[in-house]
Amino acid sequence: MKPGKKIITLDEFTIEQTRLFSKATGGLSTLLRDIGLASKVINEKVNKAGLVDIIGAQGTENVQGEQQMKLDVYADDIMIRVLKTSVDCAGIASEENDDFIAYEDEYSCNAKYVVLFDPLDGSSNIDVNASIGTIFSIYRRVSPVGTPVVEADFLQSGRKLMAAGYVIYGSSTMMVYGTKLGVNGFTLDSSIGEFCLSHKDMQVPKDGKIYSVNQGNTAKYEQGLKDYLTYCMEDNEDKKALTHRYIGSMVADMHRTLIKGGIFFYPADRNNATGKLRLQYECNPMAFLAEMAGGKSSDGEKSILDIEPTELHQRVPVFIGSENMMDKALSFIS
Ligand code: AHG
Ligand code: MN
Ligand code: MN
């Protein structure tokens, strides 16, 4: 940071945005602060992931006598507990749990928002020290305030999102969140324990040079998709061969796509008619961020944000990225 440049914390930024709306009550800022707090706790644990075997060497208990938990179960537990004490969260749904949870105390019943999350995305990368993350979505509930939340509160389309974002535990820890006002990134300054504005008004470049997909699945793709991959790999009249990058953590692959441009996709294939990634916990929040930053999303036919969810753990084919690259990909597969 340049000397004399003012640091803007996540809190200061969200409160500033709240002031733009005369009717806003600040609930969204409180929720983002709470999610930020949970992610700082998760971040600490993620940083110690390699030490778990050493600390808990002789069995399943660590030095404090606590049971060792898998990191994704731990992250889930932290998110659920922090949001339960939040005055603005009426209930949650998580990729890790079969059903949603309604917080039934008086404060929670009077809260206006529900939060959906993938507590730890990219869990297969924990062992190899590659970037992982937490993905979240915030909706205004549709059930009456003053009552416990119901399933319909969690089955809203991405168009109805109030905010969505992720925290990436990478070479630095960052929160990126978006609303209809735009997308902004905050880097955790561990010396003060605050997320500070580092990536203002993020925009997905209109074009990119990187395609991101598990290309090992190619044999199972339909012909249009195979043709698109061939197009990506070859020099053409409109471009040189593209670069392939695939980390296998959606958070990390999407973070790169938002910053550098490109296309990320996890399509349907012969074995998985609806693809792998989950609409409510992964696809909608990432599609929302991309679209609010000028990019595009699709399930192959329409924007991810226009899908009406029918079940909590629904999977959908997903394509997200730079506008021009998305148009090209869709011309092959539609
Ligand atoms: P999760 O760790 O939450 O289960 O998500 C893993 C997801 C996503 O992060 C990534 O894009 C995808 O799985 C990778 O799947 P493949 O290994 O099949 O490529
Ligand atoms: Mn995930
Ligand atoms: Mn997960």
Side-chain angles (χ1 to χ4, degrees), residues 89-159:
C89 182
I92 64 97
S94 160
E95 182 201 84
E96 290 293 329
N97 304 303
D98 290 344
D99 213 348
F100 67 89
I101 299 175
Y103 298 137
E104 296 196 344
D105 59 284
E106 191 190 333
Y107 275 115
S108 303
C109 285
N110 283 315
K112 283 190 300 203
Y113 299 103
V114 294
V115 181
L116 290 80
F117 52 84
D118 176 352
L120 208 79
D121 174 69
S123 24
S124 66
N125 275 321
I126 295 170
D127 294 349
V128 295
N129 223 339
S131 298
I132 51 180
T134 299
I135 310 174
F136 60 88
S137 298
I138 302 173
Y139 290 93
R140 194 183 284 271
R141 63 189 290 180
V142 290
S143 58
V145 170
T147 61
V149 289
V150 297
E151 192 178 49
D153 294 316
F154 300 93
L155 293 182
Q156 302 189 56
S157 76
R159 288 273 168 237

Side-chain angles (χ1 to χ4, degrees), residues 176-251:
V176 172
Y177 91 89
T179 63
K180 288 183 178 142
L181 291 176
V183 179
N184 293 276
F186 302 80
T187 302
L188 182 63
D189 181 342
S190 54
S191 66
I192 54 169
E194 294 276 2
F195 285 102
C196 300
L197 183 62
S198 54
H199 295 59
K200 197 171 176 348
D201 193 20
M202 292 167 71
Q203 295 289 324
V204 185
K206 292 281 167 230
D207 244 313
K209 294 186 168 61
I210 300 173
Y211 70 106
S212 187
V213 62
N214 185 340
Q215 202 153 349
N217 291 330
T218 307
K220 294 180 270 174
Y221 293 155
E222 49 114 13
Q223 194 53 47
L225 207 49
K226 287 181 182 167
D227 294 343
Y228 175 62
L229 285 174
T230 307
Y231 164 84
C232 289
M233 290 184 289
E234 288 178 345
D235 288 350
N236 306 100
E237 63 283 356
D238 57 341
K239 61 143 189 57
K240 292 268 186 218
L242 301 177
T243 296
H244 178 246
R245 293 264 185 276
Y246 189 68
I247 297 166
S249 291
M250 188 191 200
V251 162

